[in-house]
Amino acid sequence: MQAASDAPAHPTYSPEVRHLLFDYVVQLADTSLVLGHRLSEWCGHGPVLEQDLAMANIALDLLGETRSLYQYAAELEGQGRTEDDLAFLRVATDYRNPLLVEQPNGDFAHTVVRQFLFDNFHYHFLQRLQASPDAALAAIAEKSVKEAAYHLKWSAEWIIRLGDGTEESRQRIEKAIHKLWRYAGELTTPTPTEQALQDLGIIPQYSDLQSSMAAYTAQVFAEATLPVPQNVPSQLGGKQGRHSEYLGYLLAELQYMQRTYPGLKW
Amino acid sequence: MDQKEWPLWEVFIRSKQGLDHKHVGSLHAADAAMALQNARDVYTRRMEGVSIWVVESQHIHASNPDDAAAFFDPANDKVYRHPTFYEVPDSIKHM
């Protein structure tokens, strides 16, 4: 798309930096793709029609972002692979999404908590990524940050409604928070690739995001009358290819068509 | 609240500045904030709107179809009530 094609973004990158950046852009794309796919699983099964559509909308926003990122990654790589090759022809251990986004939908509360944890990171991250010296990443961030702002509004609203709702909704969201909080830390724990790109100033420092993320969480949870979990150890690995068993099943479905009918178009 | 179904809301959307809000449909939502958010997701996915109104359906009072004759027919033969004797300049849109 536009972001990738009109970007004279990387004339000066050394092969090493290009390689780092390729890995990182693929990681971002994998993350949006896997979460978008998860949300798309709700399509036709949402609790009410209105929320079914809301989740499908968010899924489509994420897939749009995914496409821009894979296109840019393919361009950085320069080996003739396309966005489709990157999405459909890589195995689970090559995927670099954090563990959070591959977790199953569970009940609506689980989906909402997973979404809030991701959106809170995604929004604050994209806000700063707009200032990246990499023109392509900055352009993608500028487009996606408005969508992410809405996603965060949606998931925060549901945290509040379920937390401060009925006895059952509260019970369910507490269970979801307990189950998913361990995956939140990975989002802001840099891998060696991310650390290198942060040191080069190409992507924002995650440590700079943490205070605004924590402040927003505190605000939303206070309104939801929910305690913010403290000192939860982080489960890491997804961003380095060590995934939970769930990702394999997800990719089996996502990639089925291209694996079965290579090169199929429609 | 022990009701199982969320109340029904009517949705009105202004498609661009200067136009009226038009009724586009209805949806279910627990309160006004949710109704606005749902309206955004259900009715403005294809850039249909710049502004949304929602109103709970129970607050809309409709005329009775049985009264149609008394309500509307008397206007039939009063052509002088129509502002058809003016030239509308081309630059005036959306009249």
Side-chain angles (χ1 to χ4, degrees):
Chain A
M1 264 181 270
Q2 172 189 17
S5 58
D6 62 17
H10 42 78
T12 56
Y13 291 146
S14 67
E16 293 76 27
V17 174
R18 246 179 125 89
H19 190 74
L20 280 174
L21 201 53
F22 168 78
D23 285 347
Y24 180 68
V25 174
V26 164
Q27 174 192 318
L28 291 181
D30 291 347
T31 305
S32 300
L33 177 62
V34 169
L35 185 57
H37 184 82
R38 276 290 183 229
L39 285 171
S40 77
E41 293 171 358
W42 272 108
C43 189
H45 303 277
V48 291
L49 175 141
E50 291 82 355
Q51 295 311 318
D52 196 294
L53 273 170
M55 288 186 280
N57 285 346
I58 296 172
L60 286 170
D61 287 346
L62 289 171
L63 291 184
E65 186 186 352
T66 302
R67 289 196 60 196
S68 305
L69 289 164
Y70 277 141
Q71 284 166 7
Y72 181 41
E75 187 193 324
L76 282 167
E77 188 186 44
Q79 304 284 324
R81 281 205 283 185
T82 67
E83 51 177 316
D84 285 346
D85 296 334
L86 291 170
F88 295 126
L89 302 178
R90 287 184 306 130
V91 295
T93 46
D94 289 341
Y95 263 68
R96 289 291 179 268
N97 57 280
L99 295 170
L100 174 71
V101 297
E102 71 200 41
Q103 299 309 306
N105 287 339
D107 61 10
F108 186 66
H110 278 76
T111 295
V112 162
V113 171
R114 185 185 63 199
Q115 197 61 35
F116 177 77
L117 291 173
F118 177 73
D119 292 341
N120 194 24
F121 168 75
H122 195 214
Y123 172 70
H124 289 102
F125 167 72
L126 289 175
Q127 260 196 334
R128 284 172 179 73
L129 188 65
Q130 292 179 90
S132 170
D134 185 283
L137 280 181
I140 293 170
E142 195 186 330
K143 175 168 183 290
S144 299
V145 73
K146 287 181 231 152
E147 298 168 345
Y150 184 78
H151 304 166
L152 183 56
K153 194 173 151 67
W154 179 85
S155 53
E157 186 82 11
W158 277 107
I159 295 274
I160 295 166
R161 284 181 191 282
L162 297 180
D164 190 20
T166 64
E167 201 176 313
E168 183 181 1
S169 73
R170 178 161 183 113
Q171 215 174 32
R172 284 181 183 243
I173 199 151
E174 279 178 339
K175 207 169 148 194
I177 290 168
H178 178 71
K179 179 112 182 255
L180 293 169
W181 210 264
R182 71 194 74 174
Y183 301 113
E186 185 178 15
L187 300 175
T188 50
T189 307
T191 62
T193 301
E194 290 172 306
Q195 191 60 59
L197 289 169
Q198 290 182 342
D199 294 344
L200 289 164
I202 296 176
I203 64 169
Q205 296 280 349
Y206 293 156
S207 49
D208 293 344
L209 311 179
Q210 274 164 334
S211 62
S212 23
M213 286 172 63
Y216 191 65
T217 303
Q219 181 196 324
V220 170
F221 275 56
E223 212 175 321
T225 69
L226 289 163
V228 177
Q230 301 297 333
N231 304 319
V232 179
S234 293
Q235 180 92 42
L236 306 176
K239 293 200 289 193
Q240 293 179 289
R242 296 192 305 277
H243 291 284
S244 57
E245 63 176 300
Y246 302 120
L247 184 66
Y249 291 102
L250 184 151
L251 290 181
E253 190 180 337
L254 180 107
Q255 299 180 334
Y256 164 81
M257 202 63 98
Q258 279 303 316
R259 298 286 195 187
T260 312
Y261 303 100
L264 178 78
K265 295 211 189 312
W266 67 8
Chain B
M1 219 169 59
D2 53 359
Q3 63 193 71
K4 276 243 155 48
E5 282 274 342
W6 290 333
L8 194 66
W9 298 72
E10 301 299 324
V11 181
F12 300 82
I13 293 192
R14 161 182 281 171
S15 53
K16 39 179 152 157
Q17 300 297 349
L19 289 189
D20 297 333
H21 285 75
K22 279 217 161 47
H23 184 240
V24 294
S26 55
L27 49 75
H28 291 277
D31 56 30
M34 192 195 286
L36 279 171
Q37 228 172 52
N38 288 351
R40 181 266 191 195
D41 280 320
V42 177
Y43 291 111
T44 66
R45 309 171 69 220
R46 302 179 186 88
M47 302 185 15
E48 291 95 336
V50 294
S51 164
I52 303 175
W53 287 350
V54 291
V55 58
E56 224 179 306
S57 307
Q58 61 167 344
H59 295 311
I60 293 196
H61 302 273
S63 62
N64 186 340
D66 295 342
D67 296 338
F71 262 48
F72 306 118
D73 289 354
N76 269 349
D77 56 354
K78 301 190 172 66
V79 67
Y80 50 85
R81 289 181 180 171
H82 291 270
T84 50
F85 308 103
Y86 301 91
E87 293 283 336
V88 178
D90 289 342
S91 55
I92 307 290
K93 305 268 194 274
H94 312 314
M95 280 284 283

